[in-house]
């Protein structure tokens, strides 16, 4: 991505690109949680007519290159699906290498997002899902987030810590749609819990299955742009939407 990244200042910090910086996260006390829930509700990101905001988060470690390339090719479908029911802004978040986790600003143009993604190559490293969830929480409080898509195949972090962060997103009513590539059992357990705690959904897709991933991304975009009603409508004709709506609370 263009621009000089801001160096992370803490374990949960995410580098922001040229579009804007991301503040450092702190440890949540009960009063802090109550404060950001109240602020997020006041923003009313789910109000009728509000522009949909979707965080598109991907594991960009070395094993993910084929799926990253596939996601680059499919991301325009999310914008097209959202355009049928409303409008959509997408924030790209990804992690790779040693403690590298970066985020773009909000993007409303599929060509621009494709260009940004095409400049990124996957690099070896551990998962950093906790940083992604922390970034989602900050954005949900700052400007509202309607939904999150996370695509990954592994989890190498402390599950209890991830569940705490996911629970906070559940309080903010920000569902995480977790799309798992492959059948790693440790990842599945974690991904299912993240989806459950946030009121989202977990789905597996086969390695290299572009059609499966396309359907899931379209469904998530429909929800981000038009809410549950749009997802229910899409579920009448698309299997991916039916899988998501069947799990959501």
């Amino acid at each position: 991505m263009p621009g000089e990244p801001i160096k992370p200042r803490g374990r949960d910090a995410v580098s922001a690109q040229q579009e804007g910086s991301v503040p450092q996260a702190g440890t949540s006390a009960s009063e802090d949680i109550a404060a950001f829930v109240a602020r997020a509700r006041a923003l009313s990101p789910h109000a009728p007519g509000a522009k949909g905001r979707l965080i598109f988060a991907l594991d960009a470690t070395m094993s993910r290159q084929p799926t990253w390339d596939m996601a680059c090719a499919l991301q325009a479908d999310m914008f097209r699906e959202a355009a049928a029911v409303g409008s959509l802004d997408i924030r790209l978040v990804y992690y790779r290498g040693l403690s590298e986790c970066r985020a773009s600003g909000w993007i409303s143009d599929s060509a621009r997002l494709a260009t940004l993604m095409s400049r990124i190559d996957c690099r070896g490293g551990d998962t950093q899902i906790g940083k992604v969830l922390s970034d989602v929480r900050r954005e949900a409080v700052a400007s509202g987030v309607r939904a999150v898509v996370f695509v990954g195949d592994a989890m190498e972090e402390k599950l209890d810590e991830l569940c705490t962060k996911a629970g906070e997103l559940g309080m903010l009513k920000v569902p995480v749609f977790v799309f798992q590539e492959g059948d790693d059992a440790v990842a599945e357990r974690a991904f299912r819990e993240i989806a459950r705690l946030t009121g989202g959904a977990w789905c597996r897709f086969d390695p290299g299955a572009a059609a499966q991933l396309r359907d899931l991304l379209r469904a998530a975009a429909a929800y981000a742009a038009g809410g549950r009603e749009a997802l229910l409508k899409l579920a009448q004709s698309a299997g991916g939407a039916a899988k998501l709506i069947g799990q959501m609370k």
Side-chain angles (χ1 to χ4, degrees), residues 12 16 23 53-55 106 110 120 137 139 152 163 190 193 198 217 236:
D12 288 334
R53 286 196 158 190
L54 171 72
I55 289 183
W106 289 100
S110 63
I120 300 166
R137 193 196 74 173
E139 286 299 313
C163 287
E193 275 299 288
T198 61
L217 293 178
Q236 297 174 7

Side-chain angles (χ1 to χ4, degrees), residues 159-175:
L159 181 54
D160 285 346
E161 293 182 3
L162 296 184
C163 287
T164 297
K165 296 176 186 293
E168 292 175 352
L169 295 182
M171 294 175 66
L172 289 168
K173 299 189 183 303
V174 180

Side-chain angles (χ1 to χ4, degrees), residues 70-85:
M70 186 166 64
C72 288
L74 298 177
Q75 57 82 23
D77 289 332
M78 290 192 290
F79 284 100
R80 282 193 288 268
E81 190 62 51
V85 292

Side-chain angles (χ1 to χ4, degrees), residues 149-232:
V149 166
F150 173 75
V151 182
D153 65 350
M155 193 288 292
E156 299 157 326
E157 300 161 67
K158 293 182 179 179
L159 181 54
D160 285 346
E161 293 182 3
L162 296 184
C163 287
T164 297
K165 296 176 186 293
E168 292 175 352
L169 295 182
M171 294 175 66
L172 289 168
K173 299 189 183 303
V174 180
V176 179
F177 300 117
V178 186
F179 303 148
Q180 179 182 351
E181 183 177 29
D183 55 4
D184 183 272
V186 173
E188 179 177 337
R189 180 189 177 200
F191 293 168
R192 282 183 178 274
E193 275 299 288
I194 291 171
R196 182 185 68 82
L197 289 167
T198 61
W202 166 90
C203 292
R204 177 186 287 118
F205 67 98
D206 299 324
Q212 286 180 311
L213 184 57
R214 177 186 290 110
D215 284 348
L216 294 172
L217 293 178
R218 287 179 57 218
Y223 178 84
R228 193 178 185 89
E229 182 178 347
L231 187 57
L232 284 168

